[in-house]
Amino acid sequence: MKLLVCISKSPDTTSKISFTEGNSKFDENGVQYIVNPYDEWYALVRALELKEAGGGTVTICTVGSVADDSVIRKALAIGADAAVRIDAEPTDAYYTAMQIAEYAKANEFDLVLTGKETINYNGSQVGGMLAEALDVPFISLASKLDVNGSTATVETEIAGGVQVCEVSIPAVISCAKGMAEQRIPNMRGIMAARTKPLTVVAPADIQALTSFENYDLPPAKAACKMIDPENMDELVSLLHNEAKVI
Amino acid sequence: MSTLVYINSSNGIGKAALEVVSYAKKLGNDVVVVANGNADEASLASLGEYGASKVMVDRSVEGDSQQVTRMIASAAEATGASTVIFSHDLTAKSVAPRLSVRMKAGLVSGAVAVPEGNTVKVNVFSGKAFGHVKINTDKKIISLLPNSIQPEGGGSACSVEDFASNAGDSSIKVLETKKPEGEIPLPEAELVVSAGRGLKGPENWGMVEELASELGAATACSRPVADIGWRPHHEHVGQTGVAIRPNLYIAAGISGAIQHLAGVNGSKVIVVVNTDAEAPFFKAADYGIVGDAFEVLPRLTEAVKKFKSSN
Ligand SMILES: Cc1cc2nc3c(=O)[nH]c(=O)nc-3n(C[C@H](O)[C@H](O)[C@H](O)COP(=O)(O)OP(=O)(O)OC[C@H]3O[C@@H](n4cnc5c(N)ncnc54)[C@H](O)[C@@H]3O)c2cc1C
């Protein structure tokens, strides 16, 4: 089976979020980039498990610049066979998805996996866009995935519960918690990653549909009001009369 | 010109549906709803009270994103709508991106406010910041975060029409659906009671559930609690779990790590119960209680009972 896993970089979860250039750009100063946790913990690891069980190849794909190669190597260290970087700034989800779609069309994958969203833009957009461009089924927020021949069985979150369904492949699936356990790369993986193929592909001519104009931070919280642990009547009365939430 | 609102009515018409219709109304154009699912005619018609002029319903369409995408695209064509509004729920996450490609319409997901011109305010960095996204296409799709605006009723019921959307067959075969009864879906909940590793073990969650049921709240938890299997994964909130923005978030025995805060700091009011006065969560809280959750939670449940019986 030929598996493609879409990887995005995201700032380390402890990063301080701030902006520069008149609040129009994310301030990368001192920020460590990691593989977006959903892409790594769930999509990539499940792809590797499927390959280990049934054979095949796992290729990772990212749209980004040469600065992202270190993040790609991290994902290769976890076990992917090869990487493709489409050499462009991922300006919006549409632009990113259409770039990956061009590559995926030319290379015919059985399954394309993405994380459920990135932790920086939280759009949940790339997977669905890719599926539409490839004209294949899309299942979002999958928590379990198995493949048997040309059928994938997927458990996915629905409003207020879960659903188990069957879909024929090729398909695009976005991965959420439950799919796999996080893998920590070992020394051998890290060494091997250095020599695994990382192909750089020129971008297709695509226009983004949206653009981030600027950012702002939520207003600072007022000081916390401390309440006597013996006096929960006071808390209830504050929640009712002052905060007006109950 | 009209604005099209998509509603999946298979679980009835919830608050999120009223929010998106009210939101669409604020855009100024005629509001048409396109729905699938099996909500009855009267509840669909009641969307008129929030600003819809008409509801088009195709009950033959199920949850498959390809079918729903085709249904909405054909409704957009039939009504000449240039803007489509979703509630940013699980269906929207699978359908809105497809529709964006199909209609070549710029998509903004996670909107928290009404657009200013072509620019929409969204939640980014898992709630740590807001972004202002400009849509550069004539056709637009906006997916609104639940609990971002108040539904505004007051109008009158509207007509409900059957709509044959020719959405085609589903490529997805549903084998099984598991829905725990009576639970409030976390992303839509207005009140949430959450607990962390400070509760010591799954056997102690009774006091969390009792408080939640007394308040009519949903329950949530921190990541380690879901990872160890004390609580189901869908209750895990935070940067790598569900992001929520309820009116009230009560956190007991949760330290308030940055990754946890990222998923809950959009809450209007935060109450923190922790034995450690130095716990970082107090910095993000509106009301703090330095105390043992094992004593404070039952006491709070009693106080809520008392309040309810005297009001
Ligand atoms: C990449 C990454 C992503 C992450 N994503 C998330 C995420 O999405 N969500 C998330 O929650 N975490 C996430 N984490 C984990 C996060 O860093 C914290 O480890 C986690 O939130 C801690 O959970 P906790 O507060 O329940 O447990 P602890 O940190 O162990 O805190 C327990 C708290 O309970 C208090 N306590 C103990 N006994 C009592 C008592 N009897 N009464 C009252 N209080 C008591 C203690 O003082 C302490 O503050 C992530 C971490 C990483 C590295």
Side-chain angles (χ1 to χ4, degrees), chain B residues 224-269:
Chain B
V225 162
D227 280 354
I228 332 166
W230 292 359
R231 299 296 293 175
H233 285 318
H234 66 255
E235 286 197 1
H236 159 193
V237 291
Q239 187 152 26
T240 53
V242 187
I244 54 172
R245 43 210 333 272
N247 291 338
L248 173 63
Y249 183 70
I250 302 179
I254 301 178
S255 56
I258 185 164
Q259 298 94 350
H260 184 85
L261 296 182
V264 302
N265 56 12
S267 310
K268 290 203 181 70
V269 174

Side-chain angles (χ1 to χ4, degrees), chain A residues 174-213:
Chain A
S174 88
C175 305
K177 191 159 185 164
M179 189 62 107
E181 296 293 329
Q182 184 182 3
R183 281 191 189 179
I184 311 290
N186 58 22
M187 208 52 207
R188 227 179 75 216
I190 295 168
M191 298 297 286
R194 293 190 188 153
T195 53
K196 284 181 180 170
L198 192 174
T199 312
V200 180
V201 179
D205 183 20
I206 311 274
Q207 292 296 316
L209 307 182
T210 61
S211 50
F212 269 88
E213 299 294 293

Side-chain angles (χ1 to χ4, degrees), chain A residues 12-14 34 37-38 41 119, chain B residues 195-200 221-225 236-242 252-261 263 273-276 279-280 291-294:
Chain A
D12 173 23
T13 54
T14 56
I34 57 170
Y38 292 108
W41 299 350
I119 60 169
Chain B
R197 212 145 53 178
L199 260 80
K200 315 271 190 300
C221 68
S222 66
R223 176 177 163 219
V225 162
H236 159 193
V237 291
Q239 187 152 26
T240 53
V242 187
I254 301 178
S255 56
I258 185 164
Q259 298 94 350
H260 184 85
L261 296 182
V273 182
N274 200 302
T275 40
D276 175 7
D292 187 343
F294 288 75

Side-chain angles (χ1 to χ4, degrees), chain A residues 11 13-15 17 19 26 37-38 41 94 98 116-117 119-125 128-129 131-133 135-141 153 155 157-168 177-178 182 209-218 221-227 229-230 232-233 235-236 238-240 242-243 245-246, chain B residues 11 65-66 69 88 90 93-94 97-98 100-102 104-109 121-137 171-180 191 215 223 226-227 233 236 239-241 247-248 258-259 267-269 271 282 284-290 296 299-300 303-304 306-307 311:
Chain A
T13 54
T14 56
S15 305
I17 305 301
F19 302 96
F26 175 58
Y38 292 108
W41 299 350
Y94 177 83
M98 291 310 107
K116 80 159 187 181
E117 63 186 39
I119 60 169
N120 37 354
Y121 292 104
N122 309 103
S124 266
Q125 296 184 3
M129 289 178 169
E132 185 67 18
D135 196 22
V136 298
F138 174 53
I139 297 187
S140 55
L141 276 74
T153 308
E155 183 181 289
E157 215 182 303
I158 55 166
V162 294
Q163 191 165 70
V164 183
C165 54
E166 244 175 35
V167 64
S168 62
K177 191 159 185 164
Q182 184 182 3
L209 307 182
T210 61
S211 50
F212 269 88
E213 299 294 293
N214 51 55
Y215 299 88
D216 44 47
L217 295 168
K221 275 257 173 192
C224 174
K225 209 175 241 183
M226 300 312 287
I227 308 211
E230 303 290 333
M232 285 302 102
D233 291 331
L235 176 63
V236 169
L238 286 168
L239 291 177
H240 180 64
E242 186 179 78
V245 288
I246 60 171
Chain B
N11 293 319
S65 63
Q66 271 176 309
T69 302
H88 197 48
L90 295 160
K93 286 178 184 175
S94 67
R98 294 199 85 116
S100 165
V101 172
R102 178 163 283 241
K104 253 203 150 199
L107 165 62
V108 171
S109 41
K121 183 176 180 178
V122 298
N123 227 347
V124 287
F125 293 97
S126 307
K128 290 179 201 165
F130 297 110
H132 300 268
V133 189
K134 189 164 160 218
I135 307 183
N136 299 316
T137 47
S171 54
I172 294 171
K173 194 167 118 200
V174 175
L175 304 177
E176 192 187 348
T177 302
K178 297 178 237 178
K179 274 192 193 172
L191 310 176
L215 284 166
R223 176 177 163 219
D227 280 354
H233 285 318
H236 159 193
Q239 187 152 26
T240 53
N247 291 338
L248 173 63
I258 185 164
Q259 298 94 350
S267 310
K268 290 203 181 70
V269 174
V271 174
F282 285 116
D286 300 278
Y287 301 104
I289 299 130
V290 178
V296 173
R299 210 173 279 147
L300 180 54
V304 172
K306 207 161 93 189
F307 165 77
N311 269 269

